Amino acid sequence: MINAIILSYTTFIYFIAFFLYLLFMVMGRPFFGRLATAATLVGLVAQSFAIVLRWIESYQLGIGHAPFSNLYESLIFFTWTIIFLYMVVEWKTKNRTLGTFVTPLAFLAMAYASFSPGINSKIQPLVPALKSNWLISHVITCFFGYAAFGLSFALSIMYLLKRMDTPQKKNMFLKLIPAQDILDELNYQMIVIGFLMLTLGIITGSVWAHSAWGSYWSWDPKETWSLITWLIYASIIHSRLVRGWKGKKIAFLSFVGFCCVLFTYFGVNYLAGLHSYAK
Amino acid sequence: MKKEKAKNRSNIIWTLFSSVKLTVTLLIILAMVSVLGTLIPQTNGAAEFAKTLSPALRQLFVSLDLFDMYHSLWFQMLMGLLTLNIIICSLDRFPATWKRFSKSPGPDRKKPFERLAPEHTFAIHTPRTDAGSAVHDLLTSKYRKLRAKETGADHFFCGERGGYSLFGVYLVHLSVLLILVGALVGSFFGFEAYVNVVEGETVDTVISRKTRTPIDLGFEVTCDDFSVDFYENGTPKEYQSEVTFSVDGKKRMRESIRVNHPATFEGVTFYQSNYGTVPGNTVHLTLLKGGTESEAISLKAEPGKSLPLPGGEGTFSIIDLRANIMDLGPAAMVSVQPRTGPAMEFWIFRHPERAKSLLPPPMLNSPKFNASAFAPYTFQLAGLDTRYFTGLQANRDPGVSIVWMGCFLMVAGLFISFFTSRQRVWVRLSKTKDGLSVAVAGTCSKNPVGLQRELDRLTNHLKQIFQKDQAV
Ligand code: HEM
C-alpha cells in the first residue's frame, strides 16, 4: 500500500504549503509565495502519482477499478480537484493570496482521510451496483463542482476580510488580498463553474441510478441534498443576475451553499443514522 | 370599468409571475421543503417514525402529507408555480431578447468609441480603399455578420458573432420544463414493479410497488438461469440472470440481465435487483439405524411422495420443506406411517446443532423436534437441492427520454449562457493629415475580459496586415 504512504506525505506537504502561503501574506515577501506555489505543485504531483498508483494496485489485486469508490478515495480525489483547480486559478490570475485559504481545506480533508479511525484506506472490491462508467463521470463532475464551490467559499471569506481593510490600515495581510470587485467577480465565476459541474454531476448520477435501479430520481437523502445545494446556487445566480446582488450578500449565500455541499458530502451519513429509530 | 379591473388583476398576476423575486423565493422554499423531507422519513421509514409522535402531531403530519410530501398536492402545486413562473417570465422577456438579437445597430455608432483604449488605435499610410478591403476581408473571415458604412471622412465596419448566446437562458429554462414534463409523464403513464422468477419458471405479471397489486405484462418472462459470483472475501461480484421474453408462448428475445445492464422488452425495462433461493425438488436424507453411523443409509426423497423404510417397518414422506426456518437454516417435516398405528410427524434440521443451541428446551423436548421419534431410526437432513430465484425490478417509464432530452438541453443551455457571449466589434478608418487612423472598439453581452482580449487580438492582426502592406 505504497500509495497510502505517499498520500500521508502529501497531507504534510499541503500543511507546509499552507504555512508558506501564510508566511507570504504576513511578511509580504514574494519569495515565500513562490516557495508555497512550489510546495503545492509538489504535493499535487505526488498526489496524482499516488492516485494512479492506487489505480494500478487495484488491478494487481485483481479487483481493478478507478480509485473513487469509498469515502477515503473520494476525500483524496476531492483534495486533488480543489488543489488542481486552485493551481489553475493561481496561474490565470497571477495572485497567490487565495492559496492561504484553500490549502487548509485541502490539508484538513487529507488529514481527515488519512487519520480518522472510521475511514478505511484499503482498496476494496466493488459491489456490482458500483461498476459503471457513469459512476466514474458522476464522481469526477461532482467533485469538480465541490472544488469550485470550495474556492468560492474561500473567496467569500477573503471578501469579508477585505472589507476590514481601509487605506489607513497598515496590515500587510489585508493589503495583499485583491480588491473587492475582483474577488466578487472571481467568486461568481467559481459559482458558475461549480453550478455547471454540479448539474452534470446530478445528471450523470441520475443516469447511473436509472441503469442500476430503474429510477433516475428516488428522493433519497443524498440525492435530495444535492438538489438542495443546486437550488441554493441557482438562487444565488438569479439574485445576482437579475436583482443585482453583489459583494457581501453573495459572499454570505456562497457560505450557505458550501455548508450544503459539506452536508451533502458528510452530513447525509448522519441522517441515514437518524432514520433508524431503534432506541 | 369592469374590464379595466380585470386587466389590472391580470396585470398583477403577470407581474407576479414574471418576477425573479418569486423565482428566488420558490427556489428557496423548495430547498427548505426538501430539507424537511430528509429530516422526516418518507414512505419507507415513515410508519416507524410516526409511532414516536404524539397522536395529535401524527394527525397533523398525516393531514399535511408530511410522510409522503414529494407526491403531495401542495408539493405539486409548488412545482406548478415554478412552471408558471418560468413560462410567464420567458414570454415576458423573449420579445425584448429577440429584438436585441435581430436588430443590428448602425455601423457608424459613436458610442462604442467613447471609451476607446489608446492601444486599440494606430496610424497607417495605406490608401483608403485598400485599407477598407483589408479590414473587410479580415472581419468577414472572423465574424458572421458584417456591415459597413462610409460617412464623410470615416469608414465604419461592424462585425458581430455569438448572437445565439442571448438564447442560452431560454434553453436552460425550457430544459427545466422538459424535465418536469418528463417526470409527470412517467408518473401518469408508467409503473414501478418487481417480480421474483425462479430458475426455469415463467411469469406474466409483475407486482406494483405502489399498489402492491399485480400488473399484467402482456408477455411472458422466463428465467433460464441465474448465477452469482463472489470475490475472495465473500462480497458479491456479479449477479446475472439469463432471461427469455416470449409472447403467447413464442420466444422473441433472449437477454442476460446484470446489475447496471438492464434489458428492455415492449417498453418494460427489467433490472437485476436481488436474488434468493427456494427449495428444489430433491431432498437428501441420511437414515441412521440404531443410532450408529455404521448403519447409515443415504436416501433421496421428493416432497409429497412416500417411500418405504429400509427395513419394511412402514413408509415415510416429506410433507413440508423450508429453505430457512426461523433463521435456523433448511428444515424438512417428516411424516412416518408405521405399518400399524398413527402417523408421526416431526421436523429435522440441516444444522441440528444450531437448532439445539437456539431453540428453547421445552420445544426441543417435544416430539415435534425429535428426529429419533421413530425407533430405531434417526432422520438426518443431509442437504436440499436449492434453486435460485432472480429478483427483477420491472419499470415502464415513457417519460424518461423526455427527461434525458431536458438534461441534455440544460447542459447545452448552461454552457451557452455561462461561457459564450455576443461580441460586436467596430473598426473605424478615419482620414488624418498624413494617412489613416485605425480604431478598434467593441461591446459584448457578458465577459468584458474576453472582449478586451479579442480587441487586442484584432488590433494586432490588423497591425500585422498593414505592416506587410507597407513593407511591399
Ligand atoms: C429551477 C429553475 C431554474 C433554473 C435552473 C434557472 C437557471 C438559470 C441560469 C443558469 C441563469 C443564468 C444564465 C446566464 O448566466 O446568463 C438564469 C438566468 C435567469 N433566469 Fe433562471 N432558472 C430557473 C428558473 C427561473 C424562473 C422560474 C425564472 C422566472 C422568472 C427565471 C428567470 C431568469 C432570468 C430573468 C434570468 C436572467 C437572464 C439574463 O438577463 O441574463 N429563472 N436562470
Side-chain angles (χ1 to χ4, degrees):
Chain A
M1 299 292 274
I2 188 144
N3 67 72
I5 298 167
I6 299 177
L7 287 171
S8 46
Y9 279 120
T10 316
T11 314
F12 185 61
I13 295 174
Y14 287 146
F15 181 72
I16 294 180
F18 164 57
F19 187 70
L20 288 169
Y21 276 118
L22 197 63
L23 219 56
F24 153 66
M25 283 191 74
V26 174
M27 318 243 302
R29 292 248 200 94
F31 169 72
F32 287 120
R34 282 197 293 274
L35 217 55
T37 303
T40 314
L41 213 54
V42 168
L44 186 65
V45 170
Q47 196 179 5
S48 315
F49 182 67
I51 290 177
V52 172
L53 210 60
R54 191 173 172 89
W55 203 328
I56 295 172
E57 269 178 43
S58 79
Y59 275 92
Q60 283 163 352
L61 289 173
I63 48 175
H65 58 78
F68 316 127
S69 70
N70 56 17
L71 185 57
Y72 176 79
E73 290 175 347
S74 76
L75 278 165
I76 300 299
F77 187 63
F78 171 65
T79 319
W80 187 88
T81 48
I82 200 167
I83 291 289
F84 177 83
L85 206 60
Y86 166 67
M87 282 276 115
V88 172
V89 171
E90 183 185 303
W91 175 60
K92 283 253 179 196
T93 61
K94 313 265 181 302
N95 188 302
R96 294 199 163 94
T97 49
L98 179 57
T100 317
F101 299 87
V102 171
T103 42
L105 287 179
F107 161 71
L108 286 176
M110 286 293 276
Y112 181 56
S114 304
F115 305 122
S116 165
I119 295 183
N120 189 347
S121 72
K122 276 224 188 80
I123 300 178
Q124 290 146 330
L126 284 186
V127 297
L130 296 184
K131 285 185 201 158
S132 163
N133 287 334
W134 286 108
L135 179 66
I136 297 177
S137 358
H138 172 61
V139 172
I140 291 176
T141 47
C142 276
F143 279 90
F144 267 104
Y146 291 175
F149 291 145
L151 291 194
S152 152
F153 169 75
L155 286 162
S156 303
I157 294 181
M158 288 169 75
Y159 183 92
L160 297 176
L161 281 176
K162 185 70 180 178
R163 280 165 56 85
M164 299 196 280
D165 192 23
T166 54
Q168 299 87 347
K169 266 198 188 151
K170 291 256 156 24
N171 187 324
M172 184 56 84
F173 189 91
L174 294 182
K175 283 275 176 293
L176 278 173
I177 297 179
Q180 286 186 4
D181 52 346
I182 295 179
L183 290 175
D184 189 47
E185 189 55 39
L186 196 57
N187 193 350
Y188 185 64
Q189 276 179 17
M190 287 302 133
I191 289 177
V192 156
I193 292 174
F195 189 72
L196 178 66
M197 283 297 164
L198 181 63
T199 308
L200 273 170
I202 294 178
I203 292 174
T204 48
S206 300
V207 175
W208 167 51
H210 184 253
S211 78
W213 296 293
S215 161
Y216 55 84
W217 194 263
S218 42
W219 293 106
D220 91 349
K222 197 133 188 148
E223 269 174 2
T224 311
W225 268 95
S226 68
L227 180 70
I228 293 165
T229 310
W230 190 80
L231 288 169
I232 298 285
Y233 283 103
S235 34
I236 296 180
I237 288 172
H238 283 92
S239 52
R240 178 175 175 112
L241 264 184
V242 189
R243 307 204 48 76
W245 281 17
K246 286 213 159 204
K248 199 173 88 174
K249 286 177 184 164
I250 296 292
F252 173 72
L253 284 173
S254 157
F255 208 83
V256 175
F258 193 62
C259 290
C260 287
V261 169
L262 289 182
F263 198 83
T264 310
Y265 195 0
F266 300 110
V268 168
N269 302 334
Y270 169 72
L271 266 189
L274 261 185
H275 280 189
S276 54
Y277 281 95
K279 277 189 206 149
Chain B
M1 269 311 267
K2 230 180 188 173
K3 236 182 188 166
E4 190 93 311
K5 226 177 189 175
K7 203 174 161 204
N8 255 346
R9 199 176 310 140
S10 83
N11 251 345
I12 288 173
I13 293 177
W14 186 272
T15 315
L16 175 69
F17 279 105
S18 61
S19 93
V20 181
K21 217 188 251 179
L22 178 67
T23 311
V24 174
T25 314
L26 283 176
L27 293 182
I28 289 181
I29 290 179
L30 273 177
M32 292 198 302
V33 164
S34 306
V35 172
L36 207 62
T38 60
L39 292 177
I40 303 171
Q42 302 290 305
T43 51
N44 287 337
E48 251 175 85
F49 175 71
K51 279 187 214 139
T52 66
L53 299 174
S54 73
L57 205 54
R58 197 183 316 156
Q59 193 52 47
L60 182 72
F61 272 43
V62 168
S63 53
L64 290 178
D65 270 333
L66 289 187
F67 294 125
D68 192 13
M69 58 171 77
Y70 303 118
H71 303 105
S72 69
L73 194 63
W74 58 264
F75 191 80
Q76 274 155 14
M77 265 162 56
L78 220 52
M79 291 293 189
L81 287 181
L82 189 67
T83 308
L84 213 59
N85 193 190
I86 293 179
I87 293 174
I88 305 263
C89 189
S90 299
L91 289 180
D92 194 50
R93 286 168 180 254
F94 194 80
T97 309
W98 182 254
K99 225 174 182 174
R100 270 182 80 196
F101 173 74
S102 55
K103 250 177 92 177
S104 305
D108 56 340
R109 286 256 296 258
K110 301 281 179 313
K111 206 153 174 228
F113 291 100
E114 276 169 11
R115 280 183 298 147
L116 183 62
E119 67 269 23
H120 292 152
T121 168
F122 57 95
I124 54 169
H125 304 287
T126 319
R128 181 160 161 185
T129 44
D130 292 357
S133 63
V135 171
H136 190 276
D137 288 351
L138 178 66
L139 288 187
T140 33
S141 73
K142 297 183 93 177
Y143 291 88
R144 227 168 43 80
K145 284 195 207 161
L146 179 67
R147 274 155 329 104
K149 190 169 181 182
E150 285 191 65
T151 57
D154 297 334
H155 196 169
F156 287 97
F157 299 86
C158 171
E160 179 186 319
R161 70 175 172 201
Y164 61 89
S165 167
L166 301 179
F167 298 108
V169 173
Y170 294 92
L171 280 192
V172 176
H173 294 148
L174 182 65
S175 73
V176 175
L177 295 186
L178 272 183
I179 292 172
L180 292 178
V181 166
L184 213 60
V185 168
S187 70
F188 274 120
F189 303 109
F191 61 75
E192 288 190 358
Y194 64 92
V195 65
N196 292 340
V197 194
V198 178
E199 278 181 306
E201 292 186 2
T202 301
V203 296
D204 58 4
T205 53
V206 291
I207 299 166
S208 160
R209 285 205 186 270
K210 199 151 72 188
T211 60
R212 312 263 161 211
T213 52
I215 300 171
D216 199 358
L217 285 174
F219 56 86
E220 297 104 52
V221 186
T222 309
C223 173
D224 301 319
D225 186 37
F226 174 82
S227 56
V228 51
D229 271 352
F230 296 94
Y231 290 108
E232 276 164 26
N233 70 358
T235 51
K237 184 176 181 181
E238 191 75 272
Y239 317 120
Q240 180 158 339
S241 307
E242 304 295 335
V243 168
T244 304
F245 298 101
S246 7
V247 178
D248 297 329
K250 270 195 225 96
K251 285 184 186 172
R252 291 276 290 278
M253 193 167 91
R254 220 189 120 95
E255 282 280 348
S256 62
I257 300 176
R258 284 176 290 146
V259 181
N260 274 319
H261 299 270
T264 304
F265 186 73
E266 307 250 304
V268 183
T269 309
F270 291 84
Y271 304 83
Q272 185 67 56
S273 126
N274 59 341
Y275 73 100
T277 53
V278 290
N281 273 332
T282 312
V283 184
H284 299 269
L285 296 170
T286 308
L287 281 184
L288 300 179
K289 202 167 179 182
T292 50
E293 298 262 353
S294 55
E295 290 222 46
I297 305 152
S298 291
L299 282 174
K300 272 189 209 169
E302 259 179 63
K305 283 206 179 133
S306 78
L307 284 176
L309 282 166
E313 296 90 339
T315 59
F316 74 93
S317 58
I318 307 289
I319 58 173
D320 196 356
L321 197 57
R322 307 282 178 87
N324 187 4
I325 188 166
M326 296 184 284
D327 273 339
L328 297 172
M333 187 177 241
V334 182
S335 167
V336 181
Q337 179 62 61
R339 259 212 302 261
T340 54
M344 315 177 172
E345 289 169 3
F346 49 88
W347 283 102
I348 56 175
F349 295 93
R350 177 73 189 86
H351 308 291
E353 335 71 50
R354 189 139 112 220
K356 227 170 240 157
S357 64
L358 289 174
L359 286 177
M363 216 164 158
L364 274 175
N365 294 335
S366 89
K368 279 239 169 232
F369 291 91
N370 183 1
S372 315
F374 187 70
Y377 292 102
T378 301
F379 285 77
Q380 289 182 344
L381 184 58
L384 283 181
D385 274 0
T386 55
R387 287 189 299 166
Y388 280 119
F389 68 82
T390 176
L392 299 175
Q393 170 86 13
N395 291 357
R396 185 204 291 284
D397 189 347
V400 84
S401 46
I402 304 176
V403 171
W404 294 152
M405 224 154 65
C407 290
F408 178 79
L409 216 60
M410 179 175 283
V411 173
L414 287 177
F415 219 88
I416 292 173
S417 38
F418 290 156
F419 303 122
T420 69
S421 152
R422 181 181 64 180
Q423 289 182 338
R424 282 178 173 155
V425 298
W426 276 265
V427 177
R428 185 183 62 194
L429 302 174
S430 356
K431 263 202 196 105
T432 55
K433 268 179 272 146
D434 49 350
L436 285 173
S437 154
V438 184
V440 181
T443 60
C444 63
S445 62
K446 62 180 66 139
N447 191 7
V449 182
L451 177 71
Q452 284 312 309
R453 228 179 286 140
E454 175 63 16
L455 294 181
D456 290 346
R457 251 191 314 239
L458 196 59
T459 311
N460 283 337
H461 215 129
L462 283 170
K463 273 183 185 164
Q464 270 172 18
I465 289 173
F466 291 125
Q467 256 160 22
K468 228 184 276 161
D469 278 1
Q470 239 115 58
V472 173

